[in-house]
């Protein structure tokens, strides 16, 4: 019981931390814009989650894109504009950004080109609920199966123990038959 309580608390805490991401922005409006953009753009390494939930440790490309997004917000671009430009491209001026310059310098020209010319609509975070739905269905089916097996076991146990007088009578009859055969 203790272990399950601890596991539940840890799961809750980790889910809270997965929904937030670190930013160096300090202005509350800029932070809201950052969270808006990072919630609408998908992670480069794990496309099934938003970049907001993408780990800095596991996906350095997304971490660098987060810094690029911060730079765009600092330059005065709105969240909607940044998301639109992520899809359609920021144009050749984007290579002046230190993050994109670093992509080019390190040989990651594909990422730099995607920022300049756009990632296309696939960069938008579209939560795929297929696995969630399937796991909920499987958990429900397993629960129903376990309840069915429990009720079946319970009713058979009741049926066999419901008539102890009949069992005693059958045993006595058996004993009397044996006694008669021995005579």
């Amino acid at each position: 019981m203790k272990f399950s309580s601890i596991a539940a608390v840890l799961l809750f805490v980790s889910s809270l931390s997965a929904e937030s991401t670190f930013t160096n922005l300090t202005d509350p409006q800029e932070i809201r814009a950052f969270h808006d953009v990072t919630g609408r753009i998908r992670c480069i390494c794990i496309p099934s989650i938003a970049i907001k939930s993408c780990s800095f440790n596991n996906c350095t490309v997304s971490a660098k894109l987060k810094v690029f997004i911060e730079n765009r917000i600092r330059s005065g671009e709105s969240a909607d504009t940044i998301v639109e430009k992520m899809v359609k491209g920021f144009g050749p001026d984007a290579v002046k950004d230190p993050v994109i310059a670093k992509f080019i310098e390190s040989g990651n020209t594909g990422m730099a080109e995607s920022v300049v010319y756009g990632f296309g609509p696939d960069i938008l975070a579209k939560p795929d609920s297929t696995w969630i739905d399937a796991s909920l269905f499987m958990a429900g089916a397993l629960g129903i199966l376990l309840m069915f097996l429990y009720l079946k076991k319970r009713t058979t146990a009741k049926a066999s123990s419901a008539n102890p007088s009949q069992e005693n009578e059958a045993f006595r009859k058996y004993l009397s038959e044996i006694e008669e055969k021995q005579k």
Side-chain angles (χ1 to χ4, degrees), residues 34-172:
F34 177 78
H35 285 289
D36 183 20
V37 173
T38 57
R40 293 165 52 190
I41 302 296
R42 73 173 174 83
C43 178
I44 301 299
C45 304
I46 308 168
S48 62
I49 63 172
I51 197 171
K52 179 180 192 175
S53 302
C54 196
S55 169
F56 281 92
N57 299 332
N58 297 331
C59 189
T60 57
V61 175
S62 288
K64 290 175 184 174
L65 278 178
K66 288 178 188 178
V67 174
F68 174 75
I69 292 167
E70 285 179 348
N71 294 344
R72 302 312 286 195
I73 291 170
R74 278 191 197 102
S75 71
E77 290 187 20
S78 71
D80 291 334
T81 302
I82 295 170
V83 171
E84 184 180 329
K85 286 184 176 182
M86 289 293 278
V87 174
K88 296 180 180 176
F90 286 89
D93 289 343
V95 296
K96 295 176 186 173
D97 188 282
V99 173
I100 307 308
K102 196 72 165 169
F103 279 145
I104 294 169
E105 182 182 307
S106 65
N108 194 347
T109 55
M111 186 57 64
E113 287 177 3
S114 293
V115 170
V116 171
Y117 300 111
F119 289 91
D122 289 341
I123 195 66
L124 298 175
K126 298 174 201 143
D128 182 14
S129 64
T130 304
W131 291 109
I132 295 170
D133 294 342
S135 61
L136 287 174
F137 174 76
M138 290 172 52
L142 179 63
I144 291 170
L145 176 67
L146 291 175
M147 286 183 351
F148 173 75
L149 293 174
Y150 171 75
L151 291 174
K152 184 178 177 184
K153 180 181 175 185
R154 188 172 168 208
T155 54
T156 27
K158 276 187 177 180
S160 65
S161 66
N163 300 323
S165 61
Q166 288 178 350
E167 286 180 14
N168 287 337
E169 192 176 315
F171 183 68
R172 284 188 204 136

